[in-house]
Amino acid sequence: MIPFWLIKSILLSPFLWRNKKRLIRPARIVWNPKLLPETVKVRGQNIFYVKKGEGKPLILIHGYGAGIWVWERQIEELSRFYRVFALDLIGHGFSDRPRIEYTPETYITFFRGFMRELGIENATLIGNSMGGGLAWAMAISYPKMVDRLILINSISPEVLYELRGDSLGVLKNFKDIPFISYLFIAIRNRDTIKKVLMDCVSNEKLITKDVLERQYEISMLKGSTWVLYSTFKNAKLALDFKKDIQFIPHKTLLIWGDQDKILPVSVGERLHKIIPQSRFYLVPKTGHIPMWERPEEVNSVILDFLKES
């Protein structure tokens, strides 16, 4: 059944339609002016990132459709002890959006290229949602490039069967009807983006006008519809990693919001059982991005894990 909010968005889309914006990268990070935005060329495409701190490298990897901003409450704290990198994945945030197929292999290739171009031989990967999937896929594909894994409400190889919620759950229901799933993404407006953001948190009051606008602006950049559509269409290829995830040798911390509307706690519990050297931490009263909802608690858990010998 199609929810009312989606029907409303479809009916209003001709009146709310706006031309997609050309990508113009910001000269500063609005939510943290101390950070200096940088870009690096990977396979001819510009990857947008920030870095801060000294020491062993940590790389923060955002999820589907998101960007660096979801880590705004980690970068400062973690950079007190580590060299922290946060990037916009290919096709996301302020990185380039080439018209290519966005398969798991595409994300792995560009992420590996990002590390190599910056001279990062080995790093701890901290990924949220799809970013968690990219992190464990790197651990499987290039284990020597990964030190430890921290997976926050991460997808599993069976992501298309596990998605819930009124936003991405609806998209999953139409995954086999290309026109409908493409239309669902193409009609994005402030209301539908707000709905997605509210699905990501337990406390909906956290989705302020400023938070909505930062996500809206990157979602309206030219090329975003194709990126999101192609990524979702190719998500079934994550199943290719299913047999290998049980052999991940790295120490792994799984962090999960206990009120996740998109990937329920049962997904994290299954990953914990499958990944050999893993431990599981449940964050109360949080949703799909617990590091953003309860940063003090999550940052403390992360640092405790990383400081263990």
Side-chain angles (χ1 to χ4, degrees):
M1 181 177 178
I2 303 177
F4 174 76
W5 65 268
L6 180 54
I7 295 173
K8 177 184 174 183
S9 295
I10 293 172
L11 293 176
L12 291 177
S13 59
F15 305 100
L16 299 176
W17 184 265
R18 55 168 270 188
N19 291 328
K20 298 298 186 285
K21 294 175 58 177
R22 185 169 62 91
L23 172 59
I24 300 176
R25 294 185 180 90
R28 66 186 183 94
I29 304 297
V30 175
W31 41 266
N32 188 342
K34 296 178 183 178
L35 294 174
L36 179 65
E38 300 186 52
T39 60
V40 61
K41 285 274 189 185
V42 178
R43 293 180 167 251
Q45 305 296 329
N46 289 298
I47 301 299
F48 185 86
Y49 73 99
V50 295
K51 66 180 179 182
K52 186 169 186 178
E54 301 294 334
K56 292 184 177 180
L58 309 179
I59 307 180
L60 310 178
I61 316 170
H62 65 76
Y64 177 74
I68 289 172
W69 73 263
V70 300
W71 302 108
E72 65 175 326
R73 297 166 183 175
Q74 277 65 58
I75 294 172
E76 288 293 330
E77 179 65 16
L78 298 182
S79 66
R80 293 172 55 209
F81 309 97
Y82 299 95
R83 184 161 49 113
V84 176
F85 297 83
L87 77 157
D88 282 333
L89 295 173
I90 185 70
H92 288 68
F94 295 106
S95 289
D96 285 350
R97 290 158 166 73
R99 182 83 174 195
I100 58 178
E101 285 293 330
Y102 286 82
T103 65
E105 194 59 42
T106 299
Y107 286 105
I108 292 169
T109 298
F110 275 93
F111 187 81
R112 179 180 179 236
F114 172 80
M115 290 184 65
R116 294 182 70 177
E117 290 295 329
L118 294 183
I120 306 171
E121 296 181 357
N122 178 269
T124 289
L125 307 185
I126 306 179
N128 171 238
S129 194
M130 186 183 80
L134 177 54
W136 55 248
M138 280 292 298
I140 291 170
S141 303
Y142 300 100
K144 292 183 179 179
M145 298 184 76
V146 178
D147 182 12
R148 297 186 184 193
L149 291 174
I150 300 176
L151 309 177
I152 305 176
N153 292 68
S154 171
I155 66 169
S156 82
E158 298 174 289
V159 55
L160 284 182
Y161 304 96
E162 295 168 333
L163 282 175
R164 302 288 186 272
D166 291 337
S167 50
L168 294 181
V170 171
L171 183 57
K172 177 190 71 172
N173 293 336
F174 295 104
K175 68 181 185 302
D176 298 322
I177 310 175
F179 172 75
I180 297 296
S181 55
Y182 188 90
L183 177 64
F184 176 88
I185 297 170
I187 64 170
R188 295 186 314 286
N189 55 47
R190 281 184 176 84
D191 288 341
T192 57
I193 291 170
K194 184 176 182 179
K195 180 62 180 173
V196 173
L197 288 173
M198 291 174 72
D199 269 1
C200 288
V201 296
S202 171
N203 181 4
E204 296 179 351
K205 292 181 180 180
L206 293 173
I207 306 305
T208 64
K209 182 179 178 180
D210 287 344
V211 170
L212 174 59
E213 285 304 307
R214 68 173 66 159
Q215 183 59 37
Y216 177 74
E217 288 304 314
I218 61 174
S219 298
M220 291 297 108
L221 291 175
K222 188 176 181 180
S224 296
T225 296
W226 169 257
V227 173
L228 297 179
Y229 168 73
S230 180
T231 300
F232 203 89
K233 180 186 68 171
N234 289 301
K236 60 183 179 292
L237 299 177
L239 285 170
D240 294 344
F241 295 89
K242 184 177 179 179
K243 66 181 185 302
D244 294 319
I245 201 167
Q246 63 185 310
F247 301 118
I248 289 176
H250 309 81
K251 289 184 177 179
T252 302
L253 171 64
L254 290 151
I255 299 175
W256 226 268
D258 71 337
Q259 298 178 24
D260 192 341
K261 304 169 190 173
I262 295 173
L263 292 172
V265 174
S266 58
V267 176
E269 291 172 339
R270 282 197 295 273
L271 283 172
H272 175 40
K273 290 180 181 178
I274 295 168
I275 300 175
Q277 293 200 75
S278 67
R279 65 184 66 173
F280 188 81
Y281 186 88
L282 194 63
V283 187
K285 298 180 181 180
T286 59
H288 193 58
I289 47 176
M291 72 286 185
W292 191 75
E293 281 198 86
R294 297 187 66 167
E296 294 84 4
E297 180 174 351
V298 172
N299 291 346
S300 177
V301 171
I302 289 173
L303 289 172
D304 286 347
F305 175 71
L306 293 176
K307 289 174 182 177
E308 295 175 2
S309 59

